[in-house]
Amino acid sequence: MTQVRVRFAPSPTGFLHIGGVRTALFNWLFARQQQGVFILRIEDTDQSRSTDESIQAIIEGMKWVGLDWDEGPYRQTERMELYRSHAMALLEKGQAYWCVCKAEELEARRKEAEAKGLSPRYDGRCRNLGMTNSPGDAALRFKAPQEGQIVVDDLIKGKIAFDNSAADDLIILRSNGYPTYNFSVVVDDALMQITHVIRGDDHLTNTPRQIPIFQALGFPVPQFGHLPMILGSDKSRLSKRHGATSIMAYKDMGYLPGAMVNYLVRLGWSHGDQELFTRQELIDKFSWKNVQSSPAVFNPEKLLWINAEYIKTSPPSQVAQALVPLLEAAGLQAQVKAVSMEWLAQLVVLVKERAKTLVEMVDWVRPYFGESVVFEEEAAKKFLTPAIAPVLDKLLARFESLPVFSKQTWEESFKKFVEEEGLKMGQLAQPVRVALTGRTASPGLFEVMEVLGLDRTLLRLRQGIERATA
């Protein structure tokens, strides 16, 4: 059996779109499941729009979501001679011809055809002129078959037939010697021995144009699969008005790469009612028969839920690692350098049930960095009052006298103290919480003390007392 070889072939004309990531993901999963080869190819022949920054954005995005490639990244601009030599081979076989029609003539004929209700395709007037040499600025056109049908047995959409009577004689080499998209793609897929071309269904109309080129060049035709579009909530094509569409924007918004992969694979694929998958489960369970043929609707709430689940269930050290760049971006570089990754993982455990994104987590963990506490004015005014200061003073003395610093010891001591003072738990817990974190909301009080440690717990209690008596 032939080894599976698939490719992801983005054009570097902007950021890496989440629709592109989903296409790459389905190719990657299939390659990994079949012990095949996953190739990254950069289709950068559009000189006016392709940029090196976009290539870097594609590579960065692919690495972030963990879609590693086995070959590449290949760049089409480094393969120009291959396209030209194969175009010339078609010319020699009589399956391509030089076209001397000027752009303005073609445009006038196109408008004329449309006005008459005819197909705006090329009318073939240079097809039989028999020019063997390029007369200056001529383009090279492929002789498309004029009769019969192209039948595509699509992996996702099933059998689709296209009439050759509607086929156009595509330009395969422009007058400047540059290959066109449909031609360079075929040459690349053929020479890279791609067995399955899996791409968005916006490319479906390109398939009947490309198959005859494979055949004319004498190459095997790969299997095709066309993934349905991702739509916004209003059922129009997903765009910026529906929210972020760049994969790296989701990194900046505090999403975990595993959550993004899990969500994107479920946009158009299912395995029973299962919602959450490990990477290995996705590889093991993936199949084309469970890929839906209708468009999927992007649901930000569902993505947020999946991300929250990943934050809860991922190894805390992994979440801590992903949190570091966001903490640094929030101005906590020095504080992050001063702590260990083990402590940061402990902090993640403390707040992971409360944060749906890493950006939210930054806000939750901010009070635990540094020696001093920053009080929220309303919280301090309400709970750090002159009346509570003597009680906090006595609690501080109680804590300072304890022989052991442990969550259990301090919790027992705190509860006993509350009882002795004739207070309700909340009457003292809230002022202590504000003294330790500067806020009225936090995880469990004694978990907070454990993460702060003995010295900072005592220091912040003293600061709370100072604020209460100020």
Side-chain angles (χ1 to χ4, degrees):
M1 191 178 153
T2 310
Q3 184 187 37
V4 164
R5 291 176 64 85
V6 294
R7 48 64 161 189
F8 174 53
S11 298
T13 55
F15 54 75
L16 181 57
H17 192 280
I18 54 175
V21 176
R22 187 190 64 167
T23 300
L25 172 60
F26 282 22
N27 277 282
W28 183 89
L29 287 172
F30 184 51
R32 293 292 168 261
Q33 186 189 74
Q34 300 294 318
Q35 285 81 53
V37 176
F38 176 59
I39 296 166
L40 178 58
R41 186 172 79 220
I42 307 295
E43 299 193 335
D44 60 345
T45 53
D46 185 344
Q47 290 175 296
S48 63
R49 296 175 65 220
S50 298
T51 66
D52 286 344
E53 291 77 20
S54 294
I55 293 173
Q56 279 313 115
I58 288 164
I59 290 169
E60 192 185 349
M62 293 285 284
K63 284 182 175 174
W64 182 61
V65 288
L67 299 183
D68 55 325
W69 51 91
D70 306 301
E71 291 181 20
Y74 296 110
R75 288 182 65 165
Q76 286 187 326
T77 46
E78 294 167 358
R79 300 165 61 81
M80 303 305 282
E81 281 313 308
L82 289 169
Y83 310 132
R84 290 184 188 122
S85 64
H86 282 81
M88 290 305 113
L90 288 179
L91 180 67
E92 283 166 28
K93 286 182 184 178
Q95 291 178 304
Y97 61 92
W98 292 112
C99 174
V100 291
C101 298
K102 304 288 182 209
E104 52 273 19
E105 295 169 356
L106 293 170
E107 180 61 19
R109 278 183 242 152
R110 187 185 67 77
K111 284 181 177 168
E112 191 183 327
E114 282 179 342
K116 291 177 180 174
L118 302 172
S119 166
R121 66 196 178 115
Y122 179 61
D123 60 9
R125 66 180 61 192
C126 293
R127 198 176 225 251
N128 300 310
L129 294 181
M131 286 180 281
T132 51
N133 294 312
S134 167
D137 60 351
L140 191 65
R141 286 187 184 270
F142 176 66
K143 273 189 184 175
Q146 303 291 291
E147 295 171 354
Q149 286 187 322
I150 298 285
V151 179
V152 181
D153 195 2
D154 195 279
L155 284 165
I156 297 158
K157 296 180 178 291
K159 275 197 168 58
I160 310 166
F162 298 90
D163 283 330
N164 286 333
S165 58
D168 203 353
D169 285 356
L170 297 174
I171 291 174
I172 56 175
L173 274 190
R174 295 185 182 93
S175 55
N176 63 3
Y178 256 69
T180 55
Y181 168 78
N182 276 301
F183 185 65
S184 55
V185 162
V186 170
V187 173
D188 283 338
D189 285 343
L191 297 182
M192 292 175 188
Q193 298 176 295
I194 300 300
T195 58
H196 299 74
V197 172
I198 313 300
R199 56 192 180 186
D201 64 6
D202 52 332
H203 286 285
L204 184 58
T205 53
N206 287 324
T207 304
R209 295 167 178 164
Q210 292 168 6
I211 287 174
I213 302 175
F214 278 103
Q215 292 165 335
L217 287 168
F219 289 115
V221 178
Q223 271 194 279
F224 289 90
H226 291 89
L227 297 166
M229 287 284 174
I230 301 175
L231 304 180
S233 53
D234 59 358
K235 304 293 167 66
S236 64
R237 187 171 178 167
L238 189 68
S239 68
K240 284 180 183 174
R241 74 173 179 278
H242 301 112
T245 55
S246 157
I247 192 65
M248 295 309 281
Y250 285 91
K251 180 186 180 186
D252 297 339
M253 287 156 62
Y255 287 81
L256 291 173
M260 289 305 300
V261 164
N262 196 134
Y263 179 70
L264 288 174
V265 81
R266 287 287 289 108
L267 272 183
W269 174 83
S270 60
H271 183 81
D273 295 327
Q274 189 172 344
E275 289 287 0
L276 302 171
F277 298 83
T278 65
R279 190 72 61 113
Q280 193 56 50
E281 279 179 316
L282 287 176
I283 292 169
D284 294 342
K285 293 175 177 180
F286 183 77
S287 71
W288 295 117
K289 69 175 175 13
N290 290 332
V291 175
Q292 66 188 42
S293 57
S294 54
V297 176
F298 190 80
N299 182 340
E301 288 76 25
K302 183 74 171 287
L303 171 57
L304 193 60
W305 174 79
I306 287 176
N307 199 58
E309 292 302 307
Y310 266 75
I311 285 174
K312 286 177 202 167
T313 58
S314 296
S317 58
Q318 199 177 301
V319 178
Q321 206 76 51
L323 189 62
V324 169
L326 291 163
L327 289 168
E328 290 174 344
L332 295 166
Q333 297 96 323
Q335 292 92 326
V336 170
K337 279 184 184 142
V339 301
S340 69
M341 286 308 294
E342 290 75 22
W343 181 81
L344 196 52
Q346 192 185 353
L347 192 51
V348 165
V349 172
L350 186 67
V351 301
K352 66 180 184 177
E353 298 289 332
R354 293 165 177 263
K356 291 178 180 174
T357 68
L358 297 182
V359 168
E360 284 182 16
M361 189 174 275
V362 167
D363 190 54
W364 276 107
V365 301
R366 190 183 281 276
Y368 304 92
F369 288 92
E371 296 299 311
S372 301
V373 67
V374 178
F375 297 111
E376 287 180 354
E377 273 311 307
E378 286 303 309
K381 206 178 283 183
K382 184 173 180 182
F383 292 103
L384 297 180
T385 61
I388 201 70
V391 186
L392 290 177
D393 232 349
K394 284 167 80 174
L395 178 68
L396 175 65
R398 172 74 63 97
F399 279 167
E400 284 174 329
S401 68
L402 289 174
V404 179
F405 176 72
S406 76
K407 176 176 168 289
Q408 189 184 343
T409 309
W410 282 45
E411 188 169 358
E412 286 169 4
S413 178
F414 187 91
K415 285 176 179 173
K416 196 174 174 191
F417 178 79
V418 166
E419 205 177 302
E420 287 169 9
E421 294 296 313
L423 298 168
K424 288 178 181 169
M425 191 72 172
Q427 286 176 290
L428 186 56
Q430 274 303 72
V432 171
R433 192 184 308 282
V434 174
L436 297 182
T437 68
R439 303 173 177 188
T440 54
S442 80
L445 196 55
F446 306 103
E447 284 84 358
V448 167
M449 292 177 183
E450 192 173 38
V451 164
L452 286 173
L454 174 63
D455 293 340
R456 284 197 302 160
T457 298
L458 297 176
L459 173 65
R460 289 185 176 199
L461 274 174
R462 289 187 199 106
Q463 289 173 339
I465 294 162
E466 282 171 27
R467 177 61 194 254
T469 53

